[in-house]
Amino acid sequence: MIFLDYMMPEMDGIETFHRLKKEVNGQSVPVIALTADVSTGIHQHFLSEGFSDYLSKPVMWEKLEELLLQWLPAALVSMKNGAGEDWNITEKQLLDLKQKLKKWDIELSEGLYLLGGSIVQYRKLSELFVEYYEPNRKKLEESFETTRKTQQEIKILTGQIHTLKSNARAIGAMSLYELAASLEIRGKMQDESYIEKAIPLLFFEWERALDGMFFFLENTKKFLLESEKKEKENGKQKVYGEMTEEVNQEKLYEEIYDRILEAIGKYQGKYAEEQLEKLLSLEKNPKKKKILGQVQKSVQNLEFEQAESLMKGTYWTNKVTTE
């Protein structure tokens, strides 16, 4: 599956899509159009161009998941609950975070809205925003310097600003989002003078948003650690449960083994056969299964000494082989 943004630096999404179709020789690859254009008929327009579907921006987390489930092959989809989805955070603590983030013009509610209210996913998005700040800023600075010299890179610069705009909206950094939106419009107008004066302010707002994300990550670390601790404890309980079950099975195996030897020693053929059936159901080793079959046959023929010899053979020194 491929997502194509309608607004891209060198080729728009539709042109890229048609070139892609030629390169993959018409193979059936779902391609989804991404655009902020919500005008009447835009959905049908993309479908008529050959796109599989259309997703409006800002992208809602639930809608994205719905499209992925719709277009991905069922064999590639594995549904499971995200680790740590349930943070032990109170409404008061969440409200406190929202109020404090306003210092950097970050509307936490906006970011949470786009993610279906998942603060865990918002934290992951914040981590990405912080992680890619340096490389993304460096690329934008280089494009800006080139633009000031050649006046031929404004389209590429505008595409980078468009990406920053989307990232800012995703975390609710509204001042950064609004400034990036204005710069994007001016970039499309090739207004170099406006861009040159506004870019320094864009970098300033970007740094403020970064500071806000650092604050958020630092102040939600305790919730993450609590979640990870809970996850580890649940994992230990699961492993302990599996180990307990394994120990119980080994104990049962040894008990049945001893019953068989006792029954054979007392020439209790019927009881020995019953216990042999139980041991066969637990035994996983093919060679030992074969020996148990020979023991059964010896018991049925009343050859108890031979049956006992087989059960006490050197191959049975380690009795427990249920794995």
Side-chain angles (χ1 to χ4, degrees):
M1 178 183 289
I2 300 171
F3 289 88
L4 289 180
D5 194 339
Y6 180 63
M7 168 63 183
M8 295 195 298
E10 296 184 21
M11 288 189 291
D12 66 30
I14 293 177
E15 185 181 351
T16 303
F17 170 63
H18 289 303
R19 183 173 296 187
L20 177 67
K21 283 182 67 177
K22 292 179 181 178
E23 291 183 359
V24 298
N25 297 320
Q27 293 180 31
S28 180
V29 179
V31 182
I32 313 299
L34 293 177
T35 181
D37 188 347
V38 292
S39 58
T40 304
I42 190 65
H43 190 179
Q44 189 58 43
H45 171 65
F46 283 118
L47 292 180
S48 65
E49 289 287 346
F51 284 88
S52 301
D53 216 322
Y54 150 89
L55 196 58
S56 62
K57 295 166 64 179
V59 176
M60 300 293 293
W61 183 263
E62 293 176 353
K63 183 60 178 176
L64 175 60
E65 183 181 55
E66 181 184 322
L67 276 179
L68 288 172
L69 291 174
Q70 178 182 343
W71 290 105
L72 282 175
L76 299 179
V77 178
S78 176
M79 297 291 287
K80 65 179 181 179
N81 292 328
E85 272 299 327
D86 296 320
W87 274 10
N88 188 26
I89 183 169
T90 66
E91 287 294 329
K92 184 178 180 182
Q93 289 170 322
L94 185 59
L95 181 61
D96 184 57
L97 276 174
K98 290 179 179 178
Q99 291 297 327
K100 288 179 177 177
L101 284 171
K102 289 181 182 295
K103 173 182 176 181
W104 297 278
D105 293 327
I106 293 174
E107 296 291 339
L108 180 57
S109 296
E110 180 71 18
L112 291 177
Y113 171 72
L114 297 175
L115 296 171
S118 173
I119 193 168
V120 175
Q121 293 299 333
Y122 182 87
R123 194 178 199 280
K124 292 177 180 177
L125 206 59
S126 302
E127 290 172 344
L128 290 174
F129 187 88
V130 170
E131 180 181 353
Y132 288 100
Y133 168 77
E134 288 293 343
N136 287 344
R137 172 160 178 159
K138 184 178 179 181
K139 283 172 60 178
L140 202 151
E141 286 177 337
E142 289 174 351
S143 294
F144 178 53
E145 289 301 320
T146 304
T147 299
R148 293 169 67 184
K149 292 176 182 177
T150 67
Q151 300 184 12
Q152 296 177 358
E153 298 293 324
I154 293 181
K155 190 175 181 181
I156 293 176
L157 177 69
T158 303
Q160 292 169 344
I161 292 172
H162 172 79
T163 299
L164 176 59
K165 181 190 73 172
S166 299
N167 293 341
R169 177 68 182 274
I171 63 169
M174 302 315 293
S175 288
L176 178 60
Y177 164 75
E178 290 167 3
L179 181 56
S182 296
L183 268 164
E184 182 183 5
I185 293 171
R186 292 291 180 166
K188 291 177 181 178
M189 297 169 59
Q190 296 284 305
D191 191 340
E192 185 183 353
S193 176
Y194 182 93
I195 292 173
E196 185 169 349
K197 290 180 172 61
I199 279 285
L201 181 57
L202 180 76
F203 289 144
F204 173 73
E205 287 291 356
W206 200 349
E207 288 173 5
R208 291 182 70 240
L210 182 70
D211 289 341
M213 288 299 93
F214 275 129
F215 171 84
F216 174 80
L217 292 173
E218 182 63 29
N219 283 268
T220 56
K221 189 184 295 183
K222 60 180 179 181
F223 301 111
L224 182 65
L225 293 175
E226 288 172 1
S227 175
E228 290 175 348
K229 182 180 178 182
K230 182 179 178 182
E231 185 181 348
K232 287 180 181 178
E233 289 174 351
N234 291 338
K236 286 180 181 178
Q237 290 175 0
K238 181 180 178 182
V239 171
Y240 177 76
E242 291 173 350
M243 289 174 63
T244 302
E245 182 180 350
E246 184 178 341
V247 169
N248 289 339
Q249 192 161 333
E250 289 182 354
K251 186 178 180 181
L252 176 61
Y253 185 100
E254 291 182 351
E255 288 177 356
I256 296 173
Y257 176 89
D258 291 337
R259 288 178 206 159
I260 292 170
L261 279 180
E262 184 179 358
I264 289 173
K266 293 180 178 180
Y267 303 102
Q268 297 173 342
K270 185 176 180 180
Y271 183 69
E273 285 189 58
E274 291 176 356
Q275 298 305 307
L276 280 164
E277 287 294 335
K278 291 181 179 179
L279 197 62
L280 274 167
S281 68
L282 294 174
E283 184 58 70
K284 305 300 181 185
N285 188 306
K287 291 183 179 180
K288 288 192 177 183
K289 274 182 174 289
K290 184 177 180 180
I291 294 174
L292 286 175
Q294 294 172 350
V295 173
Q296 279 184 316
K297 188 174 182 180
S298 297
V299 170
Q300 290 167 358
N301 294 333
L302 303 180
E303 297 171 347
F304 292 103
E305 290 184 4
Q306 183 178 345
E308 185 177 24
S309 177
L310 287 167
M311 289 296 291
K312 289 183 176 180
T314 55
Y315 198 76
W316 287 82
T317 302
N318 178 15
K319 294 182 291 185
V320 182
T321 57
T322 57
E323 293 185 0

